[in-house]
Amino acid sequence: MASSFKENHSLLKQNTFGIEMKCHYYFEFTREQELLAFFDSFSDYKKYPHFFIGSGSNLLFLNDYWDGLVLHPLVDGINKISEDKDHVYIKAGGGENWDDFVSYCVANNYGGIENLSYIPGKVGSVPVQNIGAYGVEVKDSIFAVEGFNFNSMQYEKISGQNCLFNYRDSLFKNKLKGRFIVTSVIFRLDKNPVFHLDYGQLKTETAKRGKLCAKNIRESVISIRKSKLPDYNVTGNAGSFFKNPIIDYEKSFELKKNFSKLPVYKMDDGRVKVSAGWLIEQCGWKGYREGDAGVYKNQALIIVNYGNASGHQIYELSEKIINSVMDRFSIKLEREVNVIKN
Ligand code: EPU
């Protein structure tokens, strides 16, 4: 597959919310050199704002037209680059499907990311928001991230330590926001993994399948996710719409006096993460529907598009949710999805 440049390209099929937005310019590329060649041949690109799209599983488009450039990396390939006694180092192209990569690692007994099974998206997106699920965050398996830096106009390799990973956060969402397009990720996986089973029903689900191994954990995670989360091929959504807010211990202590059932998780730094889904449910939003925008019936953290909701309608609903959680709990919810507005 070669690179391709388009004008007035529709992104309807490239975002899991299923929202129509056209962009003025669109460029997809399969090899790193093609991006450099594109910049040489299309010097006007500097006049336009740009953003990067992977599989669009964490985006909300607000308008139906974007007068800018969208870049879509499709770099593929999964290669073992080295190994030592305990670890194996695998380089995966940013355009590879994330769950196919997890499946490959599980099949080869490379441990560390089995809990992150069945998360929609491409490999290139996972470091950006440091995806996490069932007690595991991808940061612990990332050795380095490779990509193009728009500040230096060069390809660079950034070590995992320098990616400033945090809960659903990284350098690529802050200092390098919009400035670094991930083309490959190098993972460090364990040959003798320690499995993480402490989150929710994972232990009991895995026990039902017999042996404690990456394959059985992966199957359990897939079954739990299927039962709780909507399939975006059927109902548009972008996974968790909000982050779980992190608050001071003192504040959580005060809240617990009035809301004893509030689920809280202590963080390493002493602060406390609270379940946004619980807060939203308490405000009565779970299963709510307004036109084609709604709050998923099984998980209040997920906003869904039942068909023809516009980006604005979804955004408006999220504003109302933020305001009501603020009024009731004095906690400001932050959106986890990346909102693209002109
Ligand atoms: N809860 C409710 N009502 C709800 C939803 C949740 O009361 O409608 C409470 C329950 O007490 C539940 C607790 O919240 O026990 C935690 O819920 P859940 O296990 O579903 O996880 P979450 O904190 O809502 C996070 C991630 C998910 C990830 C799950 C499982 C974020 C923003 N979301 O959700 O990630 O799959 O944990 O590990 O951290 C995503 O990022 O797109 C995503 C789906």
Side-chain angles (χ1 to χ4, degrees):
M1 213 176 4
S3 63
S4 141
F5 177 67
K6 292 172 190 160
E7 283 189 54
N8 284 321
H9 173 71
S10 165
L11 295 166
L12 177 65
K13 299 249 155 59
Q14 288 177 267
N15 72 102
T16 60
F17 254 127
I19 287 173
E20 169 69 314
M21 182 177 87
K22 287 204 168 84
C23 58
H24 195 156
Y25 298 115
Y26 174 87
F27 181 68
E28 62 183 32
F29 60 99
T30 50
R31 293 194 306 147
E32 292 167 342
Q33 300 88 314
E34 291 166 353
L35 183 63
L36 295 174
F38 169 70
F39 291 142
D40 282 345
S41 66
F42 182 60
S43 52
D44 258 7
Y45 80 89
K46 285 191 185 129
K47 292 190 197 151
Y48 293 94
H50 65 258
F51 71 89
F52 319 125
I53 194 164
S55 57
S57 57
N58 203 39
L59 291 179
L60 176 66
F61 299 145
L62 275 202
N63 299 309
D64 51 15
Y65 186 71
W66 164 267
D67 191 13
L69 166 68
V70 175
L71 295 167
H72 181 48
L74 284 167
V75 177
D76 63 3
I78 296 179
N79 297 296
K80 182 152 112 180
I81 52 175
S82 68
E83 65 184 303
D84 56 32
K85 188 164 71 59
D86 299 320
H87 300 112
V88 48
Y89 295 78
I90 312 276
K91 178 166 167 168
E96 290 286 343
N97 175 284
W98 169 252
D99 195 51
D100 291 348
F101 177 65
V102 178
S103 165
Y104 159 88
C105 292
V106 168
N108 284 286
N109 286 319
Y110 304 148
I113 53 172
E114 53 285 341
N115 292 38
L116 305 178
S117 290
Y118 212 59
I119 294 181
K122 304 265 188 200
V123 165
S125 313
V126 305
V128 178
Q129 50 161 331
N130 180 24
I131 60 166
Y134 309 103
V136 169
E137 287 186 324
V138 77
K139 70 175 172 58
D140 294 322
S141 299
I142 291 183
F143 180 70
V145 174
E146 295 181 347
F148 186 78
N149 188 333
F150 281 77
N151 295 335
S152 63
M153 291 305 278
Q154 282 182 351
Y155 278 99
E156 287 176 8
K157 182 176 185 170
I158 303 180
S159 72
Q161 288 97 313
N162 288 334
C163 290
L164 307 181
F165 288 124
N166 233 314
Y167 168 62
R168 292 295 192 279
D169 204 11
S170 74
L171 181 68
F172 313 109
K173 278 180 107 175
N174 291 293
K175 205 166 151 215
L176 285 182
K177 187 173 168 131
R179 308 302 301 162
F180 193 90
I181 184 163
V182 177
T183 51
S184 301
V185 181
I186 300 170
F187 294 89
R188 181 178 54 209
L189 299 154
D190 296 319
K191 288 182 177 172
N192 303 297
V194 176
F195 296 120
H196 298 270
L197 292 165
D198 292 338
Y199 192 96
Q201 316 136 260
L202 192 53
K203 197 177 272 170
T204 41
E205 273 294 323
T206 307
K208 280 190 215 160
R209 290 175 168 78
K211 193 169 115 207
L212 174 57
C213 61
K215 180 175 164 285
N216 284 340
I217 295 177
R218 172 170 164 78
E219 281 175 12
S220 306
V221 167
I222 292 176
S223 121
I224 298 171
R225 288 187 79 90
K226 280 189 174 166
S227 72
K228 276 201 173 179
L229 307 175
D231 176 355
Y232 66 81
N233 291 308
V234 182
T235 314
N237 75 90
S240 300
F241 195 92
F242 302 98
K243 292 185 196 179
N244 283 327
I246 297 170
I247 60 175
D248 290 338
Y249 174 76
E250 292 72 24
K251 181 159 181 173
S252 74
F253 186 78
E254 286 305 313
L255 277 169
K256 275 282 198 185
K257 285 187 194 161
N258 292 327
F259 307 101
S260 59
K261 293 207 170 112
L262 171 72
V264 295
Y265 312 90
K266 262 208 142 151
M267 309 266 296
D268 291 343
D269 62 7
R271 292 183 302 158
V272 171
K273 186 151 84 179
V274 293
S275 294
W278 189 90
L279 301 172
I280 297 168
E281 182 173 350
Q282 294 305 304
C283 293
W285 292 105
K286 199 169 183 171
Y288 175 86
R289 180 168 176 172
E290 198 173 85
D292 271 354
V295 176
Y296 191 53
K297 61 181 188 331
N298 296 339
Q299 217 319 350
L301 199 46
I302 295 176
I303 298 190
V304 288
N305 175 7
Y306 285 106
N308 293 312
S310 69
H312 264 288
Q313 284 165 336
I314 288 172
Y315 190 83
E316 283 304 312
L317 174 58
S318 72
E319 275 296 288
K320 290 182 191 168
I321 294 171
I322 291 172
N323 291 337
S324 73
V325 168
M326 188 64 182
D327 287 348
R328 178 120 189 244
F329 299 103
S330 302
I331 292 180
K332 175 126 174 71
L333 288 185
E334 268 180 50
R335 293 180 182 85
E336 208 256 307
V337 298
N338 190 4
V339 179
I340 305 291
K341 36 186 153 188
N342 291 65

